[in-house]
Amino acid sequence: MTFPKVSIAIITYNQKDFLGECIESCLAQVYENFEIVIADDGSTDGTKEVIWRYAAQYPTHIKPVLADKNSGISVNCNNAWRACSGEWIKTIAGDDKLKPQCLSLFVAQAAKDEGACDAYFSHMTTFDKNGAVNEVRLDDFFFGLSDEDRLKFALYKNPLPAPTCFIKKSALEDVGFADVDFMMLEDYPLWFKLLESKKKIAAIDASTIFYRVGFGVSNGAEKICNIWYVRSLHSFRVKKLWPHLHGWSLLKKLDDLAYFYQNSIGYKFLGNQRGGAHSALVLLMAPLRLFSWLLLSKRVFAWVIRSTSLR
């Protein structure tokens, strides 16, 4: 078994309270041949000072990549990935943590597959500020599909959990890294490009990370949404997914519009706060989002995929 160099890419912005835990989890990896690239997107809360402190303490392991201004997660990811010198890249948000066996599990699977796969995904363990934990498993339905049907799946849902991704740098280079047109959405457009390019994606049956809930890009525990994420997602759907939708699958467009306006109204008129008014808004929009509810049934979703033809 070979031991290729792995780059851990930490993506951070204003996460000084959590970044130390993240870095410590990376330094505690059982696998030894790795570097840590920390890309900061113009933090103003003291995150950069945390990065410099660790970089001074571990100069042979940690490489800071610091931006002067905030440009969004897609640009920040690209800055990190381009700075990586490893054959494989394990990306992690600055408020999450790697499990000690994370890198060794992925490298072992890649060696077993003799380099046939371009990216791997795993289960993950969520945790919150109260210490509650939950195991989140990969979607077996997606991984049981053919390459063509996986692409069809991605027309309707984001198929893969970004926090668990372990990917070849060469695969990122081949598809042009993250699409910076979608400022706050680095993952979904990237998965779609990988699937369009027929890159090989596989799963490992293990949980490799601790994922913090309640502080993510898409929303928080009390906020309705991150409006920049919602706008980036809507733009991606309109520009990249909608051209493939036709016939009855146009119902997906109605569903997407309802999601966009539900969050936009909540952000603008409800102060972006969850509560009774927001619950009423969700109920009002529910009939327009029937398509999403139908896709919760794997039997229905399988029929949808079989009935979809790619343009």
Side-chain angles (χ1 to χ4, degrees):
M1 176 177 168
T2 59
F3 299 94
K5 185 176 183 179
V6 177
S7 297
I8 302 173
I10 299 177
I11 310 302
T12 189
Y13 174 67
N14 285 347
Q15 293 172 322
K16 71 169 185 176
D17 293 335
F18 308 118
L19 182 57
E21 291 181 68
C22 176
I23 296 172
E24 292 290 348
S25 76
C26 297
L27 292 168
Q29 289 301 294
V30 172
Y31 189 79
E32 295 181 351
N33 189 15
F34 69 90
E35 66 174 357
I36 301 173
V37 175
I38 309 177
D40 179 75
D41 197 23
S43 291
T44 58
D45 70 335
T47 294
K48 290 181 180 180
E49 287 72 18
V50 175
I51 296 171
W52 282 123
R53 185 169 69 249
Y54 274 95
Q57 189 174 357
Y58 300 96
T60 61
H61 275 83
I62 295 178
K63 182 191 302 183
V65 179
L66 308 182
D68 293 328
K69 64 177 182 179
N70 179 250
S71 299
I73 193 170
S74 295
V75 169
N76 200 28
C77 281
N78 285 348
N79 290 342
W81 294 337
R82 289 192 172 102
C84 291
S85 61
E87 178 182 344
W88 291 90
I89 297 175
K90 175 70 199 87
T91 305
I92 183 170
D95 57 350
D96 297 334
K97 298 182 290 185
L98 299 184
K99 294 188 175 182
Q101 300 282 348
C102 176
L103 299 188
S104 60
L105 287 168
F106 281 120
V107 170
Q109 187 62 51
K112 182 178 179 181
D113 293 337
E114 298 181 340
C117 288
D118 298 289
Y120 293 93
F121 293 82
S122 76
H123 315 309
M124 63 183 180
T125 304
T126 65
F127 69 103
D128 63 19
K129 62 183 180 181
N130 298 315
V133 298
N134 183 48
E135 294 297 319
V136 179
R137 299 184 62 82
L138 289 169
D139 190 336
D140 292 335
F141 176 58
F142 171 81
F143 284 98
L145 297 173
S146 66
D147 289 347
E148 181 180 354
D149 284 350
R150 287 181 179 185
L151 183 59
K152 293 177 182 178
F153 183 113
L155 291 175
Y156 303 105
K157 288 184 180 182
N158 185 344
L160 299 163
T164 73
C165 182
F166 184 78
I167 189 169
K168 287 180 179 175
K169 183 175 181 180
S170 60
L172 290 171
E173 292 171 333
D174 288 347
V175 300
F177 295 95
D179 194 329
V180 297
D181 287 341
F182 312 116
M183 182 179 74
M184 296 301 293
L185 187 72
E186 87 292 357
D187 58 342
Y188 198 171
L190 178 59
W191 312 152
F192 199 74
K193 289 196 293 184
L194 291 172
L195 292 168
E196 281 189 311
S197 302
K198 302 186 185 304
K199 297 298 183 184
K200 297 300 180 183
I201 297 172
I204 68 169
D205 187 17
S207 177
T208 62
I209 75 151
F210 291 106
Y211 176 72
R212 191 183 304 270
V213 295
F215 298 91
V217 167
S218 58
N219 56 40
E222 298 175 356
K223 301 292 185 182
I224 293 173
C225 69
N226 178 324
I227 194 61
W228 295 106
Y229 167 83
V230 170
R231 291 169 180 171
S232 293
L233 176 60
H234 187 67
S235 178
F236 166 65
R237 285 170 165 169
V238 171
K239 292 178 181 179
K240 300 297 183 180
L241 303 185
W242 283 13
H244 295 281
L245 301 177
H246 51 94
W248 59 264
S249 63
L250 292 175
L251 287 172
K252 177 65 167 60
K253 292 186 178 181
L254 179 62
D255 192 293
D256 291 345
L257 284 168
Y259 172 84
F260 175 71
Y261 284 110
Q262 173 183 305
N263 283 282
S264 297
I265 291 170
Y267 176 82
K268 185 173 182 179
F269 297 106
L270 303 180
N272 203 25
Q273 296 295 315
R274 298 181 185 273
H278 174 248
S279 297
L281 176 62
V282 171
L283 287 174
L284 181 64
M285 289 291 190
L288 301 179
R289 303 206 62 206
L290 177 63
F291 194 79
S292 287
W293 290 104
L294 290 174
L295 293 189
L296 293 176
S297 165
K298 289 186 178 180
R299 180 175 296 180
V300 172
F301 201 176
W303 179 86
V304 167
I305 290 172
R306 289 195 303 270
S307 304
T308 299
S309 58
L310 294 169
R311 286 182 171 178

